[in-house]
Amino acid sequence: MNVAVLDFGKTNSKLFVFGQDGRILDERRTQPKWTRQGGFSVLDEAALHGWAFGAITDVVESHGVEGVMVSGHGCTFALVDDKALTHPILDYEQEPPAEIAARIDRRIPDFAETFSPRLPLGFNYGRHMLWLQEVDPDTFAAAKWFLGYPQYWSWRLGGLPVCEVSYLGCHSHLWAPRERDFSSLVDAEGWRGQMPAFERAGAVIGEQRFGSAGRPIAIHNGVHDSNAALYAYRRQGLGPLTVVSTGTWVVVLNPDCPLEALDRDRDMLVNVDVDGGPVPTIRFMGGREFAVISGGWQGAIPHGPIQQAIDAGIMALPSFAPGGPMPDRPGRLVGRMPDAGERAAVALLYVALMIDLCLDLIHSDNTVIVDGGLNTGGLLAGLLAQLRPGQAFLQGASLEGSATGAAALAFESVGRDFAAEPPEPVQAKQFGGIAGYRDTWRDRVAGHDSAARAAGGAR
């Protein structure tokens, strides 16, 4: 049996074919397109669906695929009737107008209920639901179902409309983790009736024929991508873990962190795993920040420029994207102007230092697994292992932990074994002066915090 996993990211969307031995047999990639419509930035859903349907058809015919599973980025929802979207899917990277934000933000539940901090843009998708309801109540009311982003794609490809707890519990304002139920916002707005029944991630919720295949292909209920990465490693019996899932976002999940340690002002929150358990989390937009700092660098980063950046004291101070543990401050470079190679090195050092800080804030003292696209070549994991010599580090055998976890859920739901490769031990890098570089970076970050607080008090 082979399974196709559609891994819909904000920057890149991918299709992987997995065999039961955990190997990736084939892959395809595209980039989602966002357009302007009706005053909103929205997904070009038709283009993405056309790519996905075509890619699935190809692999069904060439690899004997028997099931389709979805892994999807957070912060996104879809309104549908029995057949189609009732409104285009909103881009989460847009802020409601100030006068609307002032009204809707008063209706957001307390952090103590949802463990969803009040974040900008659409990082809490319940906030974007309130915005759309405010400006287009008829379209909103016409929706029969409200779906999370992975559930939209599972439904669109031939499945039933369903809810799934890892996606609803992803800092949406819509879920109360302690009660394992919808939040007070859902009932206050009268939305509970438009929330379909729950199915576990990976469950078969329909079937579809693709291309000339005579047999129907199972459609599996989708999953939140970072939670899929967490599941990929937890299922392997590796003991207490912190998972660092990297992509457009860097998401650090430590199930062992006490809920009381979460600081809503540092983008700390509770995610919910595929079985409804709370997962303390901290995150920042590390892939986006890497692209900004590095000037869009692609490919490997040589060790030489990293040592040069450390020796010269060239560093990036947060933040270069919204949200994260140090929001509301402009990112900046300090030290002499780096050349192109050094910019990429400074960008990777920045991501490593931010993860190092996040691991402290999320009380991580267990084994850390570094997963995802920012760990190309293992360099990021090696930097972290050098920065934290008292902690064990592992890295995924591939860079596709989210897709691997999604595949495992699909195989297991139909009673099939799935033998993903175990993660590999990480060897610490040996860059000279990195401890002092980290101390200087943290001092400058703390100084910036103090200056910002002083300026706030002066006003």
Side-chain angles (χ1 to χ4, degrees):
M1 175 182 178
N2 296 327
V3 165
V5 175
L6 286 163
D7 189 9
F8 289 109
K10 185 60 162 59
T11 306
N12 296 288
S13 292
K14 298 163 278 188
L15 178 141
F16 301 101
V17 178
F18 282 88
Q20 281 185 248
D21 61 359
R23 290 187 304 123
I24 295 174
L25 307 176
D26 198 354
E27 64 181 85
R28 317 289 170 88
R29 296 174 183 262
T30 191
Q31 292 186 319
K33 299 179 177 63
W34 304 88
T35 62
R36 298 295 301 181
Q37 184 174 330
F40 293 102
S41 174
V42 300
L43 177 68
D44 185 344
E45 188 273 353
L48 192 53
H49 175 262
W51 171 82
F53 198 92
I56 295 168
T57 299
D58 286 348
V59 298
V60 164
E61 295 174 347
S62 60
H63 290 287
V65 162
E66 296 179 33
V68 176
M69 178 63 183
V70 177
S71 168
H73 66 76
C75 313
T76 305
F77 68 98
L79 308 181
V80 303
D81 57 22
D82 284 326
K83 295 182 179 179
L85 288 165
T86 63
H87 191 279
I89 293 171
L90 297 187
D91 177 358
Y92 66 67
E93 293 187 76
Q94 53 189 325
E95 179 69 20
E99 65 276 11
I100 293 176
R103 288 194 295 273
I104 64 178
D105 287 351
R106 290 195 293 267
R107 285 135 66 185
I108 291 171
D110 289 340
F111 182 77
E113 178 191 353
T114 65
F115 289 92
S116 297
R118 297 191 178 200
L119 299 172
L121 310 176
F123 294 168
N124 309 113
Y125 75 80
R127 185 175 189 244
H128 264 195
M129 289 175 69
L130 289 169
W131 178 22
L132 185 56
Q133 181 176 254
E134 177 102 359
V135 300
D136 198 349
D138 292 339
T139 293
F140 204 91
K144 184 175 181 179
W145 304 114
F146 302 157
L147 303 179
Y149 192 54
Q151 283 61 58
Y152 170 73
W153 284 108
S154 295
W155 171 80
R156 180 79 162 86
L157 293 169
L160 293 172
V162 297
C163 283
E164 190 278 319
V165 72
S166 77
Y167 203 83
L168 267 171
C170 177
H171 51 83
S172 65
H173 290 324
L174 304 181
W175 192 249
R178 281 187 164 138
E179 287 72 31
R180 297 194 175 208
D181 194 6
F182 293 111
S183 73
S184 57
L185 176 65
V186 172
D187 288 326
E189 299 300 322
W191 293 342
R192 190 178 283 256
Q194 289 154 294
M195 298 292 185
F198 279 85
E199 291 285 353
R200 189 172 188 263
V204 176
I205 58 170
E207 59 184 27
Q208 179 66 276
R209 285 180 167 83
F210 295 89
S212 59
R215 55 191 166 76
I217 307 303
I219 305 298
H220 296 263
N221 185 25
V223 64
H224 174 233
D225 54 8
S226 296
N227 271 289
L230 177 65
Y231 183 79
Y233 299 115
R234 283 174 115 180
R235 67 183 289 274
Q236 297 189 38
L238 301 169
L241 297 173
T242 299
V243 173
V244 179
S245 178
T246 72
T248 302
W249 288 92
V250 171
V251 182
V252 182
L253 307 105
N254 179 19
D256 291 342
C257 176
L259 298 185
E260 295 72 25
L262 299 178
D263 182 346
R264 72 189 74 186
D265 296 324
R266 286 188 173 271
D267 213 338
M268 301 180 75
L269 49 98
V270 167
N271 269 297
V272 175
D273 67 25
V274 296
D275 293 308
V279 182
T281 302
I282 185 169
R283 58 190 207 133
F284 65 101
M285 219 169 184
R288 180 66 52 78
E289 293 191 280
F290 177 87
V292 172
I293 298 166
S294 71
W297 181 271
Q298 301 284 331
I301 300 173
H303 287 209
I306 294 176
Q307 189 64 64
Q308 291 166 22
I310 294 169
D311 293 343
I314 309 168
M315 55 184 64
L317 302 180
S319 295
F320 294 83
M326 285 165 284
D328 304 323
R329 62 166 74 191
R332 61 192 178 97
L333 293 176
V334 297
R336 65 170 172 78
M337 183 59 63
D339 62 29
E342 287 174 336
R343 280 185 71 101
V346 169
L348 190 69
L349 285 163
Y350 171 85
V351 172
L353 292 170
M354 286 288 286
I355 294 173
D356 176 49
L357 176 64
C358 288
L359 289 168
D360 284 349
L361 292 171
I362 205 73
H363 290 219
S364 175
D365 59 5
N366 49 26
T367 298
V368 180
I369 296 182
V370 184
D371 177 82
L374 290 180
N375 192 39
T376 301
L379 186 52
L380 176 61
L383 282 168
L384 289 167
Q386 184 179 2
L387 287 166
R388 304 177 73 87
Q391 206 162 358
F393 279 80
L394 302 172
Q395 59 190 354
S398 79
L399 299 176
E400 308 300 343
S402 297
T404 301
L409 287 161
F411 279 108
E412 292 169 1
S413 76
V414 293
R416 301 292 187 95
D417 293 333
F418 181 72
E421 292 183 69
E424 305 163 347
V426 172
Q427 296 298 315
K429 299 299 180 185
Q430 299 297 325
F431 290 105
I434 196 169
Y437 183 90
R438 187 255 306 274
D439 292 343
T440 300
W441 184 87
R442 287 207 177 185
D443 287 345
R444 285 175 165 166
V445 167
H448 191 107
D449 270 341
S450 300
R453 283 194 295 271
R459 290 194 297 272

